[in-house]
Amino acid sequence: MRVQSVAMVLGRTIHLYGASRERFLSDVSWMRHEACHVKQYQQLGFYGFLWKYLAQYLRNGYYNNELEVAARASEGDPDILNDIEIV
Ligand SMILES: [Zn+2]
Protein backbone atom coordinates (compact mmCIF):
# COMPACT_ATOMS: atom_id res chain seq x y z
CA MET A 1 0.00 0.00 0.00
CA ARG A 2 1.21 3.52 -0.80
CA VAL A 3 0.07 6.81 0.63
CA GLN A 4 -3.07 7.98 -1.20
CA SER A 5 -2.94 4.99 -3.51
CA VAL A 6 -4.46 1.71 -2.51
CA ALA A 7 -4.39 -1.62 -4.20
CA MET A 8 -6.72 -4.28 -2.98
CA VAL A 9 -6.45 -7.85 -4.13
CA LEU A 10 -9.62 -9.90 -4.39
CA GLY A 11 -8.86 -13.35 -5.69
CA ARG A 12 -6.94 -12.97 -8.96
CA THR A 13 -7.78 -9.31 -9.49
CA ILE A 14 -5.86 -6.29 -8.20
CA HIS A 15 -8.18 -3.32 -7.67
CA LEU A 16 -6.52 0.10 -7.74
CA TYR A 17 -7.79 3.18 -5.94
CA GLY A 18 -6.14 6.55 -6.49
CA ALA A 19 -3.57 5.10 -8.87
CA SER A 20 -3.64 4.51 -12.59
CA ARG A 21 -2.89 1.17 -14.18
CA GLU A 22 0.15 2.81 -15.79
CA ARG A 23 1.53 3.97 -12.49
CA PHE A 24 1.00 0.57 -10.93
CA LEU A 25 2.70 -1.19 -13.84
CA SER A 26 5.68 1.17 -13.62
CA ASP A 27 6.30 0.34 -9.96
CA VAL A 28 7.95 -3.07 -9.93
CA SER A 29 8.21 -3.46 -6.18
CA TRP A 30 4.53 -2.55 -5.79
CA MET A 31 3.57 -5.10 -8.45
CA ARG A 32 5.64 -7.75 -6.70
CA HIS A 33 3.95 -6.94 -3.40
CA GLU A 34 0.45 -7.35 -4.84
CA ALA A 35 1.50 -10.43 -6.85
CA CYS A 36 2.46 -12.01 -3.54
CA HIS A 37 -1.07 -11.40 -2.27
CA VAL A 38 -2.49 -13.06 -5.41
CA LYS A 39 -0.34 -16.11 -4.62
CA GLN A 40 -1.50 -16.07 -1.02
CA TYR A 41 -5.07 -16.26 -2.31
CA GLN A 42 -4.10 -19.23 -4.45
CA GLN A 43 -2.53 -20.98 -1.47
CA LEU A 44 -5.19 -20.21 1.12
CA GLY A 45 -8.32 -20.03 -1.03
CA PHE A 46 -10.52 -16.97 -1.35
CA TYR A 47 -12.18 -17.13 2.07
CA GLY A 48 -9.08 -18.64 3.68
CA PHE A 49 -7.11 -15.56 2.66
CA LEU A 50 -9.72 -13.08 3.84
CA TRP A 51 -10.16 -14.92 7.11
CA LYS A 52 -6.44 -15.11 7.79
CA TYR A 53 -5.95 -11.48 6.75
CA LEU A 54 -8.67 -10.30 9.12
CA ALA A 55 -7.40 -12.46 11.99
CA GLN A 56 -3.85 -11.24 11.44
CA TYR A 57 -5.00 -7.66 11.15
CA LEU A 58 -6.88 -7.84 14.44
CA ARG A 59 -3.96 -9.53 16.18
CA ASN A 60 -1.00 -7.71 14.65
CA GLY A 61 -2.33 -4.66 12.83
CA TYR A 62 -1.51 -3.82 9.24
CA TYR A 63 2.26 -3.60 9.31
CA ASN A 64 2.92 -6.79 11.25
CA ASN A 65 0.22 -8.80 9.51
CA GLU A 66 2.01 -12.01 8.40
CA LEU A 67 0.53 -11.67 4.93
CA GLU A 68 1.90 -8.12 4.64
CA VAL A 69 5.30 -9.11 6.02
CA ALA A 70 5.55 -11.79 3.32
CA ALA A 71 4.34 -9.39 0.63
CA ARG A 72 6.93 -6.79 1.65
CA ALA A 73 9.64 -9.45 1.53
CA SER A 74 8.52 -10.23 -2.04
CA GLU A 75 9.12 -6.66 -3.18
CA GLY A 76 12.78 -7.56 -3.74
CA ASP A 77 12.07 -10.94 -5.35
CA PRO A 78 12.55 -10.79 -9.14
CA ASP A 79 11.00 -14.25 -9.63
CA ILE A 80 7.61 -13.55 -8.15
CA LEU A 81 6.20 -12.00 -11.33
CA ASN A 82 7.37 -14.87 -13.56
CA ASP A 83 4.11 -16.76 -13.63
CA ILE A 84 1.84 -13.75 -13.32
CA GLU A 85 0.01 -12.65 -16.44
CA ILE A 86 -1.11 -9.03 -16.74
CA VAL A 87 -4.38 -8.79 -18.63
ZN1 LIG B 1 -0.13 -5.69 1.04
Side-chain angles (χ1 to χ4, degrees), residues 1 7 33-34 37 53 62 67-68 71-72:
M1 219 189 265
H33 179 111
E34 303 305 336
H37 286 318
Y53 196 97
Y62 174 74
L67 296 166
E68 290 299 338
R72 278 200 306 278

Side-chain angles (χ1 to χ4, degrees), residues 23-48:
R23 187 166 111 43
F24 178 70
L25 295 177
S26 68
D27 187 337
V28 172
S29 63
W30 190 13
M31 279 175 53
R32 288 172 180 161
H33 179 111
E34 303 305 336
C36 180
H37 286 318
V38 171
K39 290 185 182 196
Q40 290 167 346
Y41 269 103
Q42 288 169 352
Q43 284 160 8
L44 298 168
F46 188 80
Y47 292 105

Side-chain angles (χ1 to χ4, degrees), residues 54-82:
L54 179 66
Q56 281 286 317
Y57 181 78
L58 294 175
R59 194 179 308 152
N60 298 328
Y62 174 74
Y63 194 78
N64 292 315
N65 183 330
E66 262 179 42
L67 296 166
E68 290 299 338
V69 172
R72 278 200 306 278
S74 298
E75 291 174 13
D77 176 2
D79 293 329
I80 190 141
L81 293 172
N82 283 352

